[in-house]
Amino acid sequence: MLTAFLAKMLLLAALAYLAVCLYVFFRQRTMLYHPRAVSEAQMEDLARETGMSRWLDNAGKPLGWMTREGTEGTPVLIFHGNAGNALGRQQLIERLRDAGASGPIFVADYPGYGSAPGNPTQRSLTATAERALDALPRPAILVGESLGTGVAAQAAARRPGKVQGIILLTPFESMSAAAAP
């Protein structure tokens, strides 16, 4: 009788473990990416407040946002971190200006972040980065923060002729290393 009870408990524990593993497997993207989606009207209001304007690719599709000042000089392209969206990077833009960045500053928005349609995946973030680099007027300095460090590194590797330099803020070695305690 005790053996049957232990067998049932072991089976229940194994089923519970399997259920948790399946849950994590099917929800891993929502656990990995934390976009802050807002309406286009809200983004436009925030852009006006922060002195930014919509940045479009060569086909007229939105890529993110850009500063209104600084048309001369080396462009800077920011790939933001996991939380928030492109228009939440004003402090970083101010620090870049204080450090001497005189060219235009662009901030790419990933699919699912801000008002950008789509879902964030490694493939969609990388595709956004490639489109962003292709839309720039000349080679740029890439700035990646947290999640954006991986995006910036992949973009630089895929479009080396479009990159003058790269700055990685709070980079991680791998997702498993970032998740480790």
Side-chain angles (χ1 to χ4, degrees):
M1 185 151 145
L2 185 58
T3 307
F5 175 75
L6 288 175
K8 285 182 184 178
M9 293 306 290
L10 237 102
L11 179 61
L12 281 175
L15 288 174
Y17 179 76
L18 178 63
V20 168
C21 289
L22 287 172
Y23 176 81
V24 168
F25 176 77
F26 287 110
R27 301 277 302 163
Q28 63 185 317
R29 283 211 174 105
T30 59
M31 292 178 187
L32 179 61
Y33 300 105
H34 302 283
R36 180 167 175 251
V38 297
S39 72
E40 183 68 21
Q42 290 172 307
M43 293 294 283
E44 290 288 344
D45 288 343
L46 187 56
R48 273 189 294 282
E49 291 172 21
T50 58
M52 305 284 282
S53 58
R54 180 53 91 179
W55 175 35
L56 305 175
D57 70 8
N58 299 331
K61 294 181 181 175
L63 273 174
W65 302 88
M66 59 187 274
T67 57
R68 292 187 186 130
E69 77 282 346
T71 56
E72 299 302 317
T74 304
V76 175
L77 173 55
I78 298 172
F79 295 106
H80 64 80
N82 200 6
N85 58 56
L87 289 176
R89 290 348 197 228
Q90 277 312 113
Q91 187 177 23
L92 178 56
I93 291 170
E94 289 169 14
R95 293 176 110 183
L96 289 165
R97 289 287 187 227
D98 291 344
S102 61
I105 297 178
F106 301 88
V107 188
D109 227 348
Y110 311 131
Y113 288 75
S115 59
N119 295 309
T121 64
Q122 180 179 353
R123 182 173 291 152
S124 69
L125 271 62
T126 301
T128 297
E130 291 174 3
R131 281 184 39 235
L133 280 173
D134 291 343
L136 291 175
R138 53 194 169 277
I141 295 172
L142 306 186
V143 177
E145 51 177 353
S146 191
L147 174 70
T149 63
V151 177
Q154 281 205 334
R158 292 176 183 228
R159 301 283 198 276
K162 300 286 282 179
V163 178
Q164 273 197 11
I166 187 167
I167 300 169
L168 303 178
L169 305 170
T170 62
F172 54 90
E173 184 178 321
S174 67
M175 288 312 278
S176 57

